[in-house]
Amino acid sequence: MAFQDFDKIQERVNADRKRKFRKRIIVGTVSLLMVVAAIIGGAFAYVAYEKKTEQQAKNKNNNEKTAKDNGKKSQSPPSQNPPSQKAPVSAEQSVKPGQADKVIETLCSSTLYAQTCEKTLKNRTEKGTALTNPTTFLKSSIEAINEDLDRVLEKVLSLKTENQDEKDAIAQCKLLVEEAKEEINASLNKVNGTEVNNLTKIVPDLDSWLSAVMSYQETCLDGFEEGTLKSEVKTSVNSSQILTSNSLAMIKSFDANLPLVTEVLARQLLDQTPSWISNEDRRMLRAVDVKTLNPNATVAKDGSGNFTTINDALKAMPEKYEGRYIIYIKQGVYDESVIVDKKKANLTMVGDGSQKTIVTGNKSHAKKIRTFLTATFVAQGEGFMAQSMGFKNTAGPEGHQAVAIRVQSDRSIFLNCRFEGYQDTLYAYTHRQYYRSCVIIGTIDFIFGDAAAVFQNCNIFLRKGLPGQKNTISAQGRIDKFQTTGFVIQNCKIAANEDLKPVMAEYKSYLGRPWKKYARTIVMESTIEDVIDPAGWLRWQETDFAIDTLYYAEYKNKGPSGNTTSRVKWPGFKVINREEALNYTVEPFLQGDWITASGSPVKLGLYDA
């Protein structure tokens, strides 16, 4: 299908709106600081009060003791005869154990595993220091995850087996635990030294990174077949999963007491540019004109560029590069497995068109390759951007799980790209992701993973699979209710691919099914053609799994299959109102100012505004 034109970028903010917005920011920030002060005061005021009372009692005792030592009773009020000056009392000495414990109980009350949370904080935190900066409690909680992951890694490395599948699972788990530790260390670096009144500024990053840690742990377990080995690993991983869940909940415990966060700090200034975006990036994204692209490297199969393969261009990219590194990939089919690793941050790849510049492969589960490793293309480096490119897995329906692209790059953007496969086409694995004007084609669970991802103005096509198969667009993998992950499909077109149209009656198709317990998918303001079953959503393997804990929602969809009258009656399914739908727009769900700053076209709110 022909690709839609790249959206023209319009001026977003005029002078009057900027003036009003800055005024709101100033007023909101002042209000926020007052709220923070009130919260901290409410939580810890009695600490200062008891400290003062205790000091007054000490002063009185000291005066009376002095008078007695001089052989006479004091005749003057203590204020007229102050005690001799003493060394200041440390925070640790002045704070009673019960005072810090009360704060710990409050922070842990909203967690799923409160007893573990309290035990962790009480054993690890210097309580006096924590009361002067309560984010120390959060730091202690995250440090506990890090130490537990060390134990998990030790356990995984100790496993012995002669079975090749189990060896592969062990190797994959080791890789994922190491990935999790990297995210934990990044989280600790963010929290370290952050005052409680600045915590809201780093909440989006912490939510994204710790949610990714949950995903890595779960993927480690998914790699093992049921049996003794999996049971051993599950027992080991369970503790770190609990600690991660508690840390995510604790972030919300702080955040919930700051009602102005969403309005003021989560938005931040629209003209405040993230450090990884430059004016050159904006110019590059506003036009695909390769004549003015000025790339750092050009890939061309015919030898007219610097390299003939994408991998060669990646190898030549400096590990530490200031600004954004741009690789222009001329038209051609590039049959190669590509991994943009974490060291290659702020990378942009630009092609000649989603059906002209194509990265292809055919790895599949049917070839005894683990699903996680079947991806033709893997994006890990933070701030990855792709424009006008195609990503394909040609294993076919007989290959079963066969990933075209796995994305775990935080703050990644895909513009006018095409993702083509059958089962498990697009693995939106972790972190924050934005897809605009893309084409996504597949059969079973072909948008899956546990990222916080928004698909906007995209064409989503269901295709013909194996006889008897049921098509499902999404399989979202949220495993904990405190994760900030989920899929949002907004202002998209959902329709049958050309190969499915003649035989639609033979293949039932659905919007999604719950891969994990807290699966979350929202379809809103989209056109759903006559391809989706009236029930809308499918159970996981014909069971009641997750139907009361998932969150599936629809808002103002249209088209022949957009009617919700006959939708499933699960406790977790909702037809939501406008107020609730706003929570899943780009601005609050992805903290979307980084997308705006990139120069990418984006709708921050609802289209019906």
Side-chain angles (χ1 to χ4, degrees):
M1 178 177 178
F3 222 83
Q4 59 259 53
D5 293 334
F6 190 78
D7 301 51
K8 295 181 179 179
I9 299 180
Q10 300 177 347
E11 187 66 32
R12 288 193 39 76
V13 185
N14 58 34
D16 184 59
R17 183 179 175 187
K18 283 185 177 179
R19 178 182 59 78
K20 291 180 180 179
F21 182 71
R22 289 193 182 103
K23 183 176 180 181
R24 286 177 63 201
I25 288 293
I26 294 170
V27 173
T29 302
V30 172
S31 302
L32 175 63
L33 293 176
M34 293 174 66
V35 171
V36 171
I39 293 167
I40 297 175
F44 309 119
Y46 65 90
V47 175
Y49 173 78
E50 290 194 8
K51 179 180 177 182
K52 180 179 179 182
T53 303
E54 183 180 349
Q55 188 61 52
Q56 287 176 343
K58 287 182 179 179
N59 291 346
K60 182 177 179 181
N61 290 337
N62 287 336
N63 275 305
E64 291 178 352
K65 184 177 184 298
T66 301
K68 184 176 180 180
D69 290 343
N70 290 334
K72 60 182 179 180
K73 186 176 181 180
S74 174
Q75 299 296 320
S76 303
S79 60
Q80 294 178 357
N81 292 291
S84 58
Q85 188 173 5
K86 296 184 177 182
V89 180
S90 70
E92 183 65 34
Q93 291 172 321
S94 65
V95 177
K96 296 180 179 180
Q99 296 167 346
D101 289 348
K102 184 174 181 180
V103 177
I104 288 173
E105 290 170 7
T106 300
L107 291 174
C108 292
S109 63
S110 62
T111 66
L112 296 177
Y113 312 97
Q115 288 185 344
T116 300
C117 177
E118 290 179 21
K119 182 179 178 181
T120 300
L121 298 188
K122 288 177 181 179
N123 289 345
R124 301 181 60 87
T125 310
E126 293 183 8
K127 297 170 183 177
T129 303
L131 288 180
T132 62
N133 181 17
T135 55
T136 303
F137 288 121
L138 180 56
K139 180 182 177 182
S140 295
S141 182
I142 298 173
E143 285 176 338
I145 306 171
N146 203 29
E147 292 179 10
D148 208 71
L149 286 173
D150 285 335
R151 183 183 55 78
V152 173
L153 189 58
E154 184 179 352
K155 174 64 178 178
V156 171
L157 293 176
S158 72
L159 297 173
K160 304 296 181 184
T161 179
E162 296 301 321
N163 182 287
Q164 187 57 50
D165 284 343
E166 292 179 338
K167 287 181 178 180
D168 292 342
I170 291 170
Q172 178 175 299
C173 187
K174 174 182 176 293
L175 173 67
L176 290 164
V177 173
E178 289 171 346
E179 295 267 15
K181 283 183 63 63
E182 287 186 22
E183 304 281 354
I184 291 297
N185 287 327
S187 300
L188 286 173
N189 288 337
K190 277 283 185 181
V191 173
N192 193 31
T194 299
E195 299 294 332
V196 69
N197 58 317
N198 290 322
L199 181 65
T200 53
K201 295 179 181 179
I202 66 172
V203 161
D205 286 341
L206 295 180
D207 279 338
S208 176
W209 298 341
L210 292 179
S211 292
V213 171
M214 295 288 287
S215 300
Y216 297 144
Q217 293 165 341
E218 188 71 5
T219 307
C220 162
L221 294 176
D222 286 345
F224 292 90
E225 297 293 336
E226 293 298 331
T228 303
L229 209 61
K230 182 170 185 175
S231 297
E232 287 185 43
V233 176
K234 188 173 184 178
T235 300
S236 182
V237 170
N238 183 60
S239 176
S240 62
Q241 287 181 310
I242 288 172
L243 292 171
T244 309
S245 174
N246 282 345
S247 294
L248 279 164
M250 197 178 301
I251 292 170
K252 287 182 172 56
S253 184
F254 278 112
D255 200 30
N257 292 317
L258 303 175
L260 297 180
V261 168
T262 302
E263 176 63 21
V264 181
L265 292 177
R267 285 180 59 104
Q268 302 184 20
L269 295 175
L270 282 177
D271 57 359
Q272 179 180 353
T273 303
S275 59
W276 51 279
I277 293 292
S278 67
N279 290 330
E280 183 179 353
D281 298 334
R282 292 193 186 93
R283 289 194 298 271
M284 184 277 296
L285 284 169
R286 283 175 180 149
V288 193
D289 186 358
V290 296
K291 294 179 181 179
T292 59
L293 187 60
N294 193 27
N296 299 89
T298 298
V299 180
K301 292 184 72 67
D302 62 7
S304 61
N306 308 106
F307 306 95
T308 57
T309 70
I310 298 171
N311 278 311
D312 284 344
L314 283 174
K315 289 176 184 177
M317 178 181 172
E319 286 192 5
K320 294 182 180 180
Y321 182 82
E322 294 297 327
R324 179 158 290 277
Y325 195 88
I326 301 171
I327 299 177
Y328 166 45
I329 307 170
K330 290 187 176 183
Q331 69 178 52
V333 178
Y334 296 84
D335 188 357
E336 50 183 310
S337 296
V338 178
I339 299 178
V340 179
D341 64 42
K342 287 189 173 183
K343 294 179 181 179
K344 294 175 174 58
N346 304 328
L347 170 65
T348 294
M349 289 187 176
V350 181
D352 280 329
S354 66
Q355 297 193 75
K356 293 181 178 180
T357 299
I358 300 171
V359 189
T360 187
N362 61 5
K363 294 179 182 177
S364 71
H365 190 267
K367 294 180 179 179
K368 306 299 181 182
I369 300 173
R370 317 187 77 74
T371 302
F372 188 79
L373 301 177
T374 61
T376 300
F377 191 101
V378 177
Q380 295 179 326
E382 182 178 3
F384 177 78
M385 298 182 187
Q387 186 172 349
S388 303
M389 290 183 64
F391 305 90
K392 184 181 292 189
N393 191 312
T394 59
E398 299 83 5
H400 300 289
Q401 296 95 328
V403 178
I405 186 169
R406 186 177 88 232
V407 183
Q408 56 195 88
S409 164
D410 195 15
R411 297 183 302 188
S412 51
I413 298 174
F414 293 84
L415 304 173
N416 280 25
C417 289
R418 184 182 183 93
F419 310 95
E420 189 171 347
Y422 285 83
Q423 184 172 350
D424 294 356
T425 302
L426 196 168
Y427 196 173
Y429 185 35
T430 55
H431 298 120
R432 291 162 287 189
Q433 307 176 14
Y434 178 66
Y435 299 79
R436 174 81 178 199
S437 301
C438 293
V439 169
I440 310 162
I441 305 173
T443 54
I444 301 172
D445 307 338
F446 62 95
I447 303 175
F448 77 114
D450 193 22
V454 174
F455 302 86
Q456 205 172 73
N457 290 25
C458 293
N459 284 338
I460 300 173
F461 295 127
L462 299 110
R463 72 191 310 174
K464 178 183 175 182
L466 296 175
Q469 284 185 338
K470 295 177 180 178
N471 289 335
T472 46
I473 293 173
S474 67
Q476 207 279 328
R478 186 166 166 254
I479 61 174
D480 186 276
K481 72 176 185 178
F482 291 110
Q483 286 181 282
T484 55
T485 56
F487 295 158
V488 178
I489 298 172
Q490 183 187 20
N491 199 43
C492 293
K493 177 183 177 181
I494 297 172
N497 200 46
E498 291 301 321
D499 61 346
L500 181 62
K501 286 180 179 179
V503 291
M504 273 203 304
E506 301 174 24
Y507 295 86
K508 286 193 172 184
S509 298
Y510 301 85
L511 296 172
R513 59 176 182 159
W515 184 26
K516 300 295 179 180
K517 186 176 180 180
Y518 292 96
R520 177 161 60 181
T521 302
I522 299 90
V523 182
M524 59 187 190
E525 300 183 304
S526 294
T527 299
I528 307 177
E529 299 294 348
D530 189 18
V531 64
I532 298 297
D533 187 89
W537 306 85
L538 184 66
R539 294 173 184 266
W540 183 260
Q541 297 178 345
E542 306 300 327
T543 69
D544 288 340
F545 172 73
I547 64 172
D548 56 347
T549 52
L550 58 77
Y551 182 91
Y552 282 165
E554 294 185 55
Y555 172 74
K556 281 198 172 181
N557 294 317
K558 52 188 179 291
S561 295
N563 190 304
T564 58
T565 304
S566 299
R567 289 294 193 255
V568 293
K569 307 303 180 185
W570 303 342
F573 171 74
K574 297 180 179 181
V575 177
I576 56 178
N577 58 28
R578 189 176 190 278
E579 183 179 4
E580 193 164 356
L582 281 168
N583 294 326
Y584 300 101
T585 54
V586 168
E587 187 163 21
F589 194 62
L590 294 183
Q591 303 81 48
D593 291 339
W594 56 272
I595 304 172
T596 305
S598 74
S600 168
V602 61
K603 181 71 174 179
L604 295 178
L606 292 169
Y607 281 82
D608 69 357

